[in-house]
Amino acid sequence: MNKLFEDVINRIPDYKVFLTVDEMDESSKKLAKEYPDVVELLEIGRTRDNHPLYCLKIGNGSDNALMFGCPHPNEPIGAMLLEYFSRELAENKELREELDYTWYIVKCWDADGTRLNEKWFKGPFTLYNYARNFFRPAGHQQVDWTFPIDYKNLHFHDTIPETKAMMKLIDEIRPKFIYSLHNAGFGGVYWYLTRDTSEIYEDMRNAAKKQGIPLNLGEPEAPYCEAFAPAIYKSLGIKQHYDYLEKYGVEKPEEHIKCGTCSADYAEEVCNAFTLLTELPYFYDKRINDLSISDITRKEAVLESLKFSEEMDGFIKSTLKDATKYMEEKNPFKLALEAFTRNQEDNEATRKMINENPDYNRPATVAEKFDNLLVTKFYKMLSLGLLVRANEVELEKMEKNKEDNPEKKRVLQKAYDQALSKLKELSEYLEENIDYEVVPIKKLISIQLECGLLMAEYLKRI
């Protein structure tokens, strides 16, 4: 890595908290006022709650690059990268000239959803506090998963306003490089790429190694992921999900897919754009990259994970059953839970796959066992947080409106108490069984930014 890029990464501040939507907006406005000859602030659209979607245009390079944060609203690491990088670009002429891009930067794409995560943005950064204040929308309400698609018998065109705004921007600027700033919750570092770029894989892995953060060498995020190299995968679109369901016996996959495709898929179709994702964890345990052999098979580990997931989904559905009739139809937490517990077809396809694929008969690595038996429990804990909040928001409305309905309050309070008790129980179990560290925000930005700079430079050379 060249000295200029090293200096840029070394200047990343030691952020202790994540910025709110309002704080990011104010910072963008301030930057545009400070550097009017270099920075332009565009409003590219409005959210469903009518919040302006701001985009910073910085520099005047020969190719366009697009970067966006909070494509999922519980993923603000990239927003903090953009908070730093946008100012660095504005102030650093040498960096702008070296990279030779015109940068389009959207710090917070899902602004409405991000507001529903802000209670954990200032800490404390614990498994419980993250889960208790977590929000992630149902697929058909996710800004990065409602791009239109017609594939086989799947036809999705119910595109939401935030997605339409990004589509319009992509259509207009036709970016060469897109940095989609997602991040994971627990695990290690891994990547998604539009195409194989093996020449820089070692440099990308070193970006994580320098910060002391392990690679994610457990199970891939989806069983149909195509690996270019360990922890480096080909980009996922909805086509792969459809083909996977179809391959493993699900009739009419289109009936089980309730969302569209993603920005990477759309942009590749529109202008052959290259998209990079660098997935990073808030928390990690060193077992996530331990390739030594465990005491169970990979098949046993995956089946145990599926069993736990289905048991928790059963608890969530039963707890929701009575309370749902007292919830508003558009309760975002309820809608998310209904979507996230509608995965029986995926589970059956996975069972069929592991029975047919001999690789699942081998002994699981420690990383695979840890991923299946503990990390998956962490992600189910997030659904319990949604369950608590689905009831909590309705109880708060009753109190605010001084609504006198004893039966409604009783049902909602009971569901709230059951969900909170289960959340605390699982949180305590994970605290006892996971030896996790909280990754400093500066380290996460450093890895994500270094990989972005490496890829931006690489794409200029090929």
Side-chain angles (χ1 to χ4, degrees), residues 15-24 76 80 114 117-126 129-130 133 441:
Y15 297 112
K16 299 299 185 185
V17 296
F18 296 102
L19 296 184
T20 65
V21 174
D22 289 343
E23 287 169 339
M24 284 187 267
M80 298 306 293
T114 299
N117 279 279
E118 289 179 350
K119 285 185 179 179
W120 65 264
F121 277 14
K122 307 302 183 184
F125 298 112
T126 62
N129 194 48
Y130 177 61
N133 297 292
I441 296 171

Side-chain angles (χ1 to χ4, degrees), residues 255-267:
E255 294 182 1
H256 306 290
I257 296 174
K258 305 298 181 183
C259 62
T261 196
C262 62
S263 55
D265 205 6
Y266 179 81

Side-chain angles (χ1 to χ4, degrees), residues 253-316:
E254 67 277 5
E255 294 182 1
H256 306 290
I257 296 174
K258 305 298 181 183
C259 62
T261 196
C262 62
S263 55
D265 205 6
Y266 179 81
E268 187 178 18
E269 291 275 342
V270 168
C271 55
N272 201 35
F274 185 101
T275 296
L276 168 66
L277 278 74
T278 302
E279 297 272 13
L280 302 150
Y282 302 115
F283 313 99
Y284 79 91
D285 179 304
K286 61 181 180 295
R287 284 173 284 183
I288 201 60
N289 72 336
D290 186 341
L291 295 180
S292 60
I293 298 304
S294 75
D295 56 354
I296 61 173
T297 66
R298 189 181 178 199
K299 180 178 179 179
E300 288 171 328
V302 174
L303 287 175
E304 181 63 30
S305 174
L306 284 176
K307 180 184 174 188
F308 177 80
S309 178
E310 288 169 346
E311 287 173 355
M312 292 304 299
D313 285 352
F315 170 79
I316 290 166

Side-chain angles (χ1 to χ4, degrees), residues 310-416:
E310 288 169 346
E311 287 173 355
M312 292 304 299
D313 285 352
F315 170 79
I316 290 166
K317 288 176 181 177
S318 67
T319 307
L320 266 181
K321 186 177 177 183
D322 292 333
T324 299
K325 64 185 175 185
Y326 293 119
M327 293 180 181
E328 285 190 12
E329 188 56 39
K330 292 186 177 180
N331 180 317
F333 308 103
K334 173 183 81 79
L335 291 174
L337 285 168
E338 289 171 349
F340 298 155
T341 54
R342 197 192 299 122
N343 57 5
Q344 189 58 37
E345 292 75 22
D346 288 79
N347 291 346
E348 291 309 315
T350 299
R351 283 191 173 89
K352 194 167 190 296
M353 179 199 66
I354 64 177
N355 283 325
E356 293 180 7
N357 186 339
D359 187 56
Y360 285 85
N361 293 325
R362 64 167 171 78
T365 64
V366 170
E368 289 165 342
K369 179 183 176 181
F370 173 69
D371 204 341
N372 280 295
L373 271 56
L374 286 168
V375 177
T376 54
K377 287 182 172 64
F378 163 79
Y379 283 108
K380 270 300 165 187
M381 188 168 74
L382 305 183
S383 290
L384 292 176
L386 290 172
L387 184 59
V388 173
R389 298 187 75 187
N391 292 282
E392 180 180 48
V393 73
E394 300 296 346
L395 288 166
E396 287 174 348
K397 272 186 237 161
M398 285 188 74
E399 186 173 347
K400 181 181 177 182
N401 298 331
K402 296 183 169 54
E403 182 180 350
D404 184 21
N405 186 333
E407 178 61 12
K408 177 179 177 180
K409 185 172 183 180
R410 183 191 69 78
V411 171
L412 290 170
Q413 188 67 51
K414 179 183 176 184
Y416 169 86

